[in-house]
């Protein structure tokens, strides 16, 4: 179990556990400023996470009451979850980019039977058989985040969050989510990269599966990688894994990775017409397609949809008219 540790420049890393999740932890960063502590992200909301955050703050000589504000890189529950409890304990403000603020409702929607059957319907419309779709949408539960974590401020690109004595610049990096931001701490020349650039893993980039969205998430993500690359920052602190020693270089690797995945996917089509489900099953994942659990498959499916969506934008793949479930084929 990693413990809270100083990074230098008045920055501390606090690993907040994500129960039963292979990611293991969200790395929350605490920054000292004359007004108190500012947290970058807050961690997953359950007792395990809350204890981890409080223990981590104690390890660095602080308590949750010292938190002045929480800036969120994006709306995912492993980042947003605990900020409601932090605000309740300390009166801290919570800030998030306006485009992700608009997504927040989706995280607090009850996972009731209607929501679950919607999940199964999406998989069927993507081309899964009844049998393949059966494991989807069977376990309703609580939404991953509650309205208590609703941010009270929105952030805009290039805004400098005023922390007495320190400037934290908002760098809008949509892709992983529509309103993902990184934060650049000017006095320390370090970038908090959230889930945009990670040292060891490739961040998830997905599109909704049905209907295929207008939004081209992969184009956004790749543009945001180029933006970070052009800023030429070296030191980076991501939300999972280990620190980045070359943010720009890693952004370049991620760009290459997606270019390769795109061209492998075009090859996988051959001269066939494929549903999104089939396209996903032919992509390379961390384990064979048939061995991936339903949650992993739905993440993979949305990632496949993002790649197909982007290949449609590049005019390499097109929807075959009149097919149901929708099929796609190479244009040349
Ligand atoms: Zn995320
Ligand atoms: Zn995350």
């Amino acid at each position: 179990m990693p413990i809270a540790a100083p990074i230098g420049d008045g920055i501390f890393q606090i690993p907040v556990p994500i129960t039963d999740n292979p990611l293991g932890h969200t790395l929350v960063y605490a920054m000292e400023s004359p007004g108190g502590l500012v947290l970058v992200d807050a961690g997953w909301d359950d007792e395990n996470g809350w204890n981890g955050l409080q223990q981590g703050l104690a390890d660095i000589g602080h308590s949750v009451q010292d938190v002045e504000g929480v800036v969120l890189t994006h709306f995912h529950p492993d980042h947003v979850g605990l900020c409601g409890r932090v605000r309740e304990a300390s009166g801290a403000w919570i800030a998030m980019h306006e485009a992700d603020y608009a997504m927040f409702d989706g995280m607090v929607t009850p996972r009731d039977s209607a929501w679950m059957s919607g999940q199964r319907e999406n998989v069927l419309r993507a081309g899964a058989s009844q049998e393949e779709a059966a494991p989807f949408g069977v376990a309703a539960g609580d939404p991953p985040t509650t309205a208590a974590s609703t941010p009270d401020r929105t952030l805009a690109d290039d805004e400098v969050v005023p922390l007495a004595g320190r400037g934290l610049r908002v760098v809008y990096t949509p892709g992983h989510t529509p309103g993902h931001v990184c934060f650049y701490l000017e006095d320390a020349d370090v970038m908090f990269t959230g889930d945009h650039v990670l040292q060891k893993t490739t961040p998830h980039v997905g599109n909704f599966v049905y209907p295929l969205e207008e939004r081209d998430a992969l184009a956004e993500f790749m543009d945001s990688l180029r933006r970070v690359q052009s800023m030429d920052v070296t030191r980076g602190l991501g939300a999972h894994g280990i620190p980045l020693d070359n943010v720009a270089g890693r952004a370049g690797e991620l760009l290459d990775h997606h270019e390769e995945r795109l061209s492998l996917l075009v090859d996988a089509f051959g001269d066939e017409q494929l549903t999104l489900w089939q396209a996903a099953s032919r992509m390379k994942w961390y384990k064979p397609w048939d061995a991936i659990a339903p949650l992993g498959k739905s993440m993979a499916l949305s990632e496949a949809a993002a790649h197909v969506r982007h290949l449609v934008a590049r005019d390499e793949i097109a929807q075959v008219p009149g097919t149901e479930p929708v099929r796609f084929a190479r244009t040349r």
Side-chain angles (χ1 to χ4, degrees):
M1 161 79 194
I3 54 161
I7 301 278
D9 298 303
I11 304 166
F12 301 85
Q13 183 187 70
I14 301 172
V16 175
I18 318 174
T19 309
D20 295 334
N21 185 299
L23 278 174
H25 299 85
T26 303
L27 300 175
V28 170
Y29 296 95
M31 258 176 304
E32 288 175 327
S33 84
L37 280 183
V38 173
L39 300 185
V40 178
D41 292 327
W44 184 268
D45 183 9
D46 65 6
E47 289 314 307
N48 201 17
W50 183 229
N51 291 337
L53 180 62
Q54 287 182 301
Q55 184 57 51
L57 288 166
D59 289 345
I60 64 167
H62 283 282
S63 76
V64 71
Q65 282 77 25
D66 300 338
V67 179
E68 172 200 0
V70 184
V71 291
L72 296 166
T73 57
H74 63 295
F75 75 89
H76 285 161
D78 54 320
H79 299 255
V80 166
L82 283 170
C83 64
R85 293 211 210 190
V86 171
R87 178 168 54 197
E88 196 186 328
S90 68
W93 46 263
I94 303 168
M96 175 194 267
H97 189 273
E98 51 208 358
D100 262 22
Y101 186 80
M103 307 293 295
F104 190 82
D105 274 357
M107 285 293 106
V108 300
T109 304
R111 269 41 174 167
D112 55 14
S113 54
W115 189 87
M116 296 309 288
S117 63
Q119 299 293 103
R120 190 160 54 244
E121 195 62 20
N122 274 345
V123 177
L124 287 169
R125 284 173 155 164
S129 66
Q130 289 288 347
E131 190 190 344
E132 286 163 332
F136 288 81
V138 287
D142 292 332
T145 306
T146 67
S149 293
T150 308
D152 39 49
R153 293 186 187 182
T154 56
L155 299 169
D157 185 27
D158 218 30
E159 171 180 347
V160 178
V161 184
L163 316 172
R166 304 196 88 170
L168 188 66
R169 187 173 293 276
V170 175
V171 183
Y172 179 46
T173 50
H176 177 68
T177 64
H180 191 289
V181 295
C182 297
F183 296 100
Y184 178 61
L185 184 62
E186 295 174 327
D187 64 81
D189 188 22
V190 64
M191 185 178 274
F192 299 99
T193 59
D195 281 0
H196 179 50
V197 185
L198 298 171
Q199 183 69 43
K200 291 283 184 195
T201 46
T202 54
H204 177 261
V205 180
N207 268 102
F208 290 120
V209 170
Y210 189 89
L212 204 55
E213 293 174 276
E214 192 54 38
R215 173 178 176 246
D216 183 344
L218 190 56
E220 285 179 1
F221 181 64
M222 293 173 85
D223 283 346
S224 296
L225 288 172
R226 286 183 202 103
R227 178 175 186 188
V228 165
Q229 203 177 24
S230 72
M231 289 179 69
D232 217 19
V233 177
T234 51
R235 280 176 77 201
L237 297 169
H240 308 284
I242 58 171
L244 295 132
D245 54 16
N246 182 354
V247 176
R250 180 62 183 153
E253 287 175 10
L254 291 170
L255 281 165
D256 293 346
H257 165 82
H258 285 289
E259 283 299 346
E260 192 192 344
R261 248 168 124 57
L262 286 163
S263 84
L264 286 172
L265 181 55
V266 171
D267 292 346
F269 269 84
D271 53 11
E272 294 177 71
Q273 298 181 356
L274 301 183
T275 64
L276 279 177
W277 183 266
Q278 290 170 321
S281 72
R282 292 186 186 191
M283 290 173 76
K284 189 163 172 272
W285 305 104
Y286 55 96
K287 53 168 106 162
W289 177 253
D290 290 335
I292 302 175
L295 177 64
K297 270 197 179 129
S298 69
M299 304 263 294
L301 194 59
S302 73
E303 181 123 359
H307 285 78
V308 168
R309 171 70 188 85
H310 190 54
L311 289 169
V312 169
R314 289 186 177 188
D315 200 24
E316 293 191 55
I317 296 280
Q319 195 168 317
V320 181
T323 47
E324 177 64 41
V326 174
R327 289 174 183 273
F328 297 84
R330 283 171 71 159
T331 55
R332 45 185 172 256

